[in-house]
Amino acid sequence: MKKIVTLAAALAIAGCGSEQPAATQVADSAATAAAQPATQAQEQRSLSGPFGTEMGMTAADLTARIGQPPYLVENGYLAFNSAPIPHPTFSTYSFVASGKYGLCKVGATATVESSRYGVELRSRFEEIKTALVAKYGTPSNEVDRVLGSTWLEPEDFMMGLVQKERVLVAYWDSEKSPLPNDLGSLLIQADAKSMTSGQIDVTYEYTNFGQCRDELKSKADSAL
């Protein structure tokens, strides 16, 4: 009889010991499940801006998300060959971030080989602009004209851009039409380095750009 009681007590003790980890597992699972939505929501917020950025994010956070060091760093300006969420059209990306205000400007550049007529460059410009219009609405202003140039013939399109005598640009201004994700302005512009090589630049400025710019200027001027 004594052995049976002792065995029952041992089983009871063993049972109590096995219940504790189970309870702990349930609690841990509940905590993990509760934490996941918050983590996902935070990640979604941080990736809501252009190319997976967010206004005010630090240069360190930006670099960590890209997963590679910048190839150029100069007074708040950082240049990378990628972005937190890169786009296949663009090969280089630039960011401006100050110590106090964080990220305030995002840029991306796509290189386009083109004939001197600029057919390929203009086609890529329109392709990217169409995607931007779908997301941000109609531009506040568009300019596609020659500015007092002598390069007026169809075959002079690229040369006009090289000489800065032709403009092909579209601009969005949040003061004229609200922009999402804390953006203050957006610009797409075509440029050319030669009669056969051009580029499309897209530039986003967050609403903290003015403060960010002033902080970086003050830092630079402190060296005088």
Side-chain angles (χ1 to χ4, degrees):
M1 182 68 178
K2 187 174 180 179
K3 288 183 178 180
I4 295 175
V5 171
T6 303
L7 180 58
L11 290 173
I13 293 172
C16 291
S18 64
E19 287 176 3
Q20 184 60 33
T24 302
Q25 281 186 339
V26 171
D28 289 345
S29 298
T32 301
Q36 282 179 346
T39 302
Q40 291 171 356
Q42 183 177 3
E43 183 178 357
Q44 185 177 5
R45 285 197 303 273
S46 66
L47 301 178
S48 61
F51 305 111
T53 62
E54 181 180 55
M55 183 179 76
M57 69 190 303
T58 66
D61 187 21
L62 176 68
T63 301
R65 289 183 178 277
I66 295 174
Q68 61 179 243
Y71 65 81
L72 177 64
V73 179
E74 184 177 341
N75 190 32
Y77 176 90
L78 303 93
F80 293 84
N81 291 318
S82 187
I85 302 180
H87 189 284
T89 297
F90 302 97
S91 56
T92 59
Y93 301 83
S94 62
F95 306 89
V96 176
S98 70
K100 182 177 180 180
Y101 297 101
L103 183 67
C104 59
K105 187 174 182 177
V106 177
T109 299
T111 302
V112 182
E113 297 304 314
S114 182
S115 68
R116 61 189 300 166
Y117 292 85
V119 175
E120 295 84 356
L121 183 64
R122 183 183 285 278
S123 176
R124 183 61 59 86
F125 176 90
E126 292 298 332
E127 177 185 326
I128 299 172
K129 190 188 79 171
T130 297
L132 293 173
V133 168
K135 185 171 183 178
Y136 300 105
T138 304
S140 306
N141 192 21
E142 294 186 67
V143 180
D144 180 8
R145 65 171 181 265
V146 177
L147 304 176
S149 175
T150 56
W151 304 96
L152 302 176
E153 300 301 321
E155 64 269 24
D156 295 332
F157 181 89
M158 294 294 284
M159 183 54 72
L161 290 176
V162 171
Q163 298 297 328
K164 307 300 181 185
E165 296 175 357
R166 176 182 286 275
V167 176
L168 179 57
V169 63
Y171 179 72
W172 289 255
D173 186 348
S174 64
E175 293 185 357
K176 296 182 179 180
S177 180
L179 294 171
N181 306 321
D182 299 309
L183 289 173
S185 67
L186 164 60
L187 174 78
I188 176 173
Q189 181 171 358
D191 201 355
K193 299 177 181 178
S194 71
M195 289 192 296
T196 59
S197 179
Q199 65 185 53
I200 306 295
D201 295 306
V202 179
T203 305
Y204 306 79
E205 290 182 357
Y206 282 112
T207 54
N208 65 341
F209 176 71
Q211 296 167 308
C212 177
R213 177 195 56 206
D214 292 345
E215 180 188 352
L216 293 174
K217 183 178 183 303
S218 177
K219 181 180 177 181
D221 290 346
S222 66
L224 297 175

